[in-house]
Amino acid sequence: MKVKVNQQEVETAATSLSELLQSLGLPAKGVAVAADGRLVPRAEWDRFGLAEGQTLVVVKAACGG
Amino acid sequence: MEKLVIAGREFSSRLFLGTGKFSSNEQMSAAIEASGTEMVTVAMKRVELGDAEDDLLAHVRRPGVQLLPNTSGVRDAEEAVLAASLAREAFGTEWLKLEIHPDPRYLLPDSVETLKATERLVKMGFVVLPYCQADPTLCKRLEEAGAAAVMPLGAPIGTNRGLRTRDFLQIIVEQAGVPVVVDAGIGAPSHAAEAMELGASACLVNTAIAVAGQPVEMARAFRMAVESGRAAYEAGLPVSAASMEAQASSPLTDFLG
């Protein structure tokens, strides 16, 4: 299945968001995820199913004023 | 010095620090320490896949320091609400510096979208500190919408031009029922002291410290300036907005009933 993560196309066998993040080596702490423009709360990562063509955004802290 | 209270939380320091533009995380961390700040802003960015970058938060978080995520990069209220939700999730705090500045040239905040977003975010339980124009009417409206503080600008972000909005800041301070944090444009300790002398509750400084020849020393200088300006204000400077009261040139009759 193909999904888009931060504008990069990713081919993945993961079925849940948790599995995907883990397979991409993304940190579990200090990040937040939106799927198709909506926040996916951390508590839902395990059961949040992925779908073909889904657009995911993963953000973390950056320097800023 | 009186303690600053925002949304029930007490702050001994009235200097807020931004984390942009430092040459290294270590330098930023040392500047945070030297400034004595208890409120530090952070922005958000997309994680780059395969990037094992140093964790910024490890350099920012420390006991007694409130993290203040900002919504920099959003263009309207809708995007601000999503960014705020992401920030709350990523950093575990409801505190938020709301900033909506779609114009890339002057980075001036969009007042209409800022007010709309404040109304929504307050209902969602956020502690909202909106970055806003130095507009006394807008600041009252933001306060009525439930903003925990207002953050009017002294001059455009990163310009170091000082309190170009001084007269309006004075009216904002006089009218405000919530803390007034002067944000943006503060380019020298004297500007920060000036803001505090006219009664601002706090100052947010970033560029002037981060790009100084010696940021840690500059952080210390700002700390002293903010303390000095506040002490002078509390000691009773003869500052008054009375001379700025408008004199109507049109009849102020209630002709609409």
Side-chain angles (χ1 to χ4, degrees), chain B residues 51 73 103 108 127 137 181 196 198 208 239 247:
Chain B
D51 174 20
D103 153 38
L108 289 171
V127 175
T137 309
V181 182
M196 300 309 294
L198 66 82
V239 178
Q247 305 294 326

Short mmCIF file of all heavy atoms in Angstrom, two decimals, chain B residues 51 73 103 108 127 137 181 196 198 208 239 247:
data_model
loop_
_atom_site.label_atom_id
_atom_site.label_comp_id
_atom_site.label_asym_id
_atom_site.label_seq_id
_atom_site.Cartn_x
_atom_site.Cartn_y
_atom_site.Cartn_z
N ASP B 51 15.79 11.19 9.31
CA ASP B 51 16.62 12.23 9.90
C ASP B 51 16.77 11.98 11.40
O ASP B 51 15.80 11.90 12.13
CB ASP B 51 15.93 13.58 9.65
CG ASP B 51 16.64 14.72 10.34
OD1 ASP B 51 17.83 14.55 10.66
OD2 ASP B 51 16.01 15.77 10.54
N GLY B 73 3.33 29.66 10.53
CA GLY B 73 3.19 28.88 9.29
C GLY B 73 1.75 28.70 8.86
O GLY B 73 1.49 28.35 7.71
N ASP B 103 0.93 37.03 5.41
CA ASP B 103 1.72 37.90 4.55
C ASP B 103 3.22 37.70 4.80
O ASP B 103 3.72 38.02 5.86
CB ASP B 103 1.31 39.36 4.84
CG ASP B 103 2.43 40.34 4.53
OD1 ASP B 103 3.14 40.12 3.54
OD2 ASP B 103 2.59 41.32 5.28
N LEU B 108 2.76 40.40 9.25
CA LEU B 108 1.80 41.05 10.13
C LEU B 108 0.60 40.14 10.37
O LEU B 108 0.12 39.47 9.46
CB LEU B 108 1.34 42.38 9.52
CG LEU B 108 2.43 43.46 9.52
CD1 LEU B 108 2.00 44.65 8.70
CD2 LEU B 108 2.77 43.88 10.94
N VAL B 127 -5.03 27.52 26.35
CA VAL B 127 -4.64 28.79 26.97
C VAL B 127 -4.04 29.62 25.84
O VAL B 127 -2.92 29.37 25.41
CB VAL B 127 -3.61 28.56 28.09
CG1 VAL B 127 -3.13 29.89 28.65
CG2 VAL B 127 -4.22 27.70 29.19
N THR B 137 -8.74 48.13 20.28
CA THR B 137 -10.09 47.54 20.15
C THR B 137 -9.98 46.04 19.94
O THR B 137 -10.70 45.26 20.57
CB THR B 137 -10.82 48.19 18.95
OG1 THR B 137 -10.73 49.61 19.09
CG2 THR B 137 -12.28 47.78 18.92
N VAL B 181 1.66 41.29 26.69
CA VAL B 181 3.04 40.88 26.42
C VAL B 181 3.47 41.53 25.11
O VAL B 181 2.89 41.25 24.06
CB VAL B 181 3.14 39.34 26.27
CG1 VAL B 181 4.59 38.92 26.04
CG2 VAL B 181 2.55 38.64 27.49
N MET B 196 8.31 47.82 29.46
CA MET B 196 7.97 47.51 30.85
C MET B 196 7.61 48.79 31.61
O MET B 196 6.70 48.80 32.44
CB MET B 196 9.12 46.79 31.55
CG MET B 196 9.53 45.47 30.93
SD MET B 196 8.17 44.31 30.63
CE MET B 196 7.67 43.94 32.29
N LEU B 198 6.17 51.37 30.46
CA LEU B 198 4.83 51.86 30.16
C LEU B 198 3.74 50.91 30.64
O LEU B 198 2.55 51.12 30.42
CB LEU B 198 4.68 52.31 28.70
CG LEU B 198 4.75 51.38 27.51
CD1 LEU B 198 3.43 50.70 27.29
CD2 LEU B 198 5.11 52.19 26.28
N ALA B 208 16.76 39.60 18.77
CA ALA B 208 17.77 40.49 19.34
C ALA B 208 18.76 39.73 20.22
O ALA B 208 19.93 40.11 20.33
CB ALA B 208 17.10 41.60 20.14
N VAL B 239 3.59 58.24 34.06
CA VAL B 239 3.15 57.98 32.69
C VAL B 239 1.63 58.00 32.66
O VAL B 239 1.00 57.41 33.52
CB VAL B 239 3.65 56.60 32.20
CG1 VAL B 239 3.15 56.32 30.79
CG2 VAL B 239 5.17 56.55 32.24
N GLN B 247 -10.52 63.73 20.85
CA GLN B 247 -11.50 64.82 20.88
C GLN B 247 -12.35 64.68 19.62
O GLN B 247 -11.83 64.83 18.52
CB GLN B 247 -10.79 66.18 20.88
CG GLN B 247 -9.77 66.36 22.01
CD GLN B 247 -10.42 66.38 23.40
OE1 GLN B 247 -11.55 66.87 23.55
NE2 GLN B 247 -9.74 65.83 24.39
#
